[in-house]
Amino acid sequence: MIQLSEVSPRDGLQPVKNFVPTAVKIALVQKLHAAGLKRMEVGSFVSPKAIPQMVDTGEVLRAALELEGLESTVLVPNRRGFDAALQGGAHRLGFFMSATEAHNQSNLNRSLEDGLRELSALVRDTPSDKKIRFNISCVYHCPFEGVVPEDAVARLVDRIAPLHAGMEISLCDTTGNAAPDQVRRVMGRAIREHGPRFAFHGHDTYGMGVANTVAAYEAGCRVFDAAAGGIGGCPYAPGATGNVAMEDVVWAFSRMGIETGVHWAGLLEAADYAAGIEGATPGGRMRGVPAARAA
């Protein structure tokens, strides 16, 4: 059984320039939950100056916590966000940093070493009843440094994995420029050396999102991020477009005979809603296939 983590309420809406009303965000979370999605990134406790779209994460989180069986994740970049997430009652804390120096400076305005030092302290301070996700951005390709050496990624994972035995680690294709063979090697190596604790987060910039997701599955990964409607993008990764669409991922796994626990008609309804949010940049393919809609 795989796990699907829906990221449209956070990663999908994060780059939208005009503020998306809180009620719209909450409705999106509710529709996704109704479709059977049980894990969700509902927002991030970042500086409103950096990401104004996430200023209402506390309100969205409160609404998400009312939904039965939904595991709510929020991203936290620093101590202030960490404290806000704990106070808000998030089920899972999502720490994040980049695999490259240039992207870490662009995204978080700090060096790799400084970022790892601060996040290591936050991991140690996380209460035992909270789950942790450690997201490593630009694992496969960096918009500033190009293709990331696989040995460099492995060395970084070797430093992160021992921080917490139960911590999930996501190997993120932030720019959507990864290739399936590369994903298979990097993910496979991480799992061989540190066990089946890894997740895959993909974007579809070059149309490889589903192929890379399947490659991660073939390497032993069982946790996958995707966004309904294929909305999203990274403000700090020039040229990166939306996340791999959840409906495309669900269709692919279903055709492979892999149970997802997602209701197809409900997912399409949620995907249409996400894609219709003003300012969002939708992607994906299944919403446009009449035969898939009739399935």
Side-chain angles (χ1 to χ4, degrees):
M1 181 74 174
I2 63 172
Q3 293 186 50
L4 298 175
S5 178
E6 172 62 52
V7 300
S8 62
R10 196 279 304 174
D11 202 12
L13 297 181
Q14 178 175 279
V16 177
K17 293 182 179 179
N18 296 327
F19 184 72
V20 177
T22 305
V24 173
K25 294 172 182 170
I26 292 173
L28 176 60
V29 170
Q30 292 169 337
K31 289 179 180 294
L32 292 164
H33 174 260
L37 290 157
K38 301 301 184 184
R39 285 186 61 172
M40 208 176 301
E41 274 188 9
V42 301
S44 57
F45 285 107
V46 296
S47 168
K49 293 181 180 179
I51 309 289
Q53 193 62 253
M54 295 290 104
V55 69
D56 57 352
T57 287
E59 296 175 72
V60 178
L61 175 60
R62 281 194 293 274
L65 293 174
E66 296 178 359
L67 299 175
E68 183 178 359
L70 177 64
E71 179 187 292
S72 297
T73 299
V74 293
L75 292 195
V76 293
N78 51 35
R79 177 68 63 174
R80 180 176 296 179
F82 175 80
D83 292 340
L86 291 182
Q87 184 176 2
H91 299 123
R92 188 184 292 269
L93 307 185
F95 303 117
F96 60 99
M97 65 177 292
S98 302
T100 68
E101 189 70 40
H103 190 261
N104 215 65
Q105 290 286 359
S106 174
N107 194 16
L108 296 168
N109 196 31
R110 60 192 179 203
S111 69
L112 276 172
E113 287 301 320
D114 287 345
L116 186 56
R117 187 180 304 110
E118 180 172 11
L119 294 180
S120 297
L122 295 181
V123 169
R124 290 193 296 268
D125 292 346
T126 301
S128 59
D129 64 332
K130 297 295 181 183
K131 298 178 181 180
I132 303 175
R133 157 78 80 93
F134 199 112
N135 300 283
I136 311 176
S137 302
C138 295
V139 163
Y140 309 95
H141 174 268
C142 172
F144 310 109
E145 298 184 20
V147 175
V148 180
E150 294 175 20
D151 285 345
V153 173
R155 288 193 296 270
L156 181 58
V157 171
D158 287 345
R159 297 180 66 185
I160 292 171
L163 296 177
H164 188 287
M167 181 172 67
E168 184 176 277
I169 303 172
S170 181
L171 305 181
C172 305
D173 179 22
T174 307
T175 66
N177 199 6
D181 63 323
Q182 180 190 20
V183 172
R184 197 176 292 109
R185 287 192 304 272
V186 172
M187 182 66 71
R189 179 174 178 177
I191 290 173
R192 286 194 303 273
E193 295 180 359
H194 299 286
R197 55 190 297 190
F198 292 88
F200 178 73
H201 176 101
H203 284 242
D204 205 31
T205 310
Y206 296 88
M208 301 291 280
V210 172
N212 287 330
T213 298
V214 172
Y217 175 83
E218 292 172 342
C221 179
R222 292 298 180 266
V223 181
F224 307 92
D225 292 355
I231 64 174
C234 178
Y236 301 101
T241 54
N243 297 274
V244 58
M246 180 62 78
E247 59 272 19
D248 291 6
V249 168
V250 168
W251 181 268
F253 279 133
S254 297
R255 286 287 287 112
M256 294 167 64
I258 299 165
E259 178 60 43
T260 66
V262 177
H263 312 307
W264 181 244
L267 176 59
L268 287 179
E269 179 182 344
D272 287 341
Y273 185 83
I277 293 174
E278 184 177 358
T281 53
R285 293 160 179 78
M286 289 301 106
R287 289 189 311 111
V289 180
R293 284 194 169 272

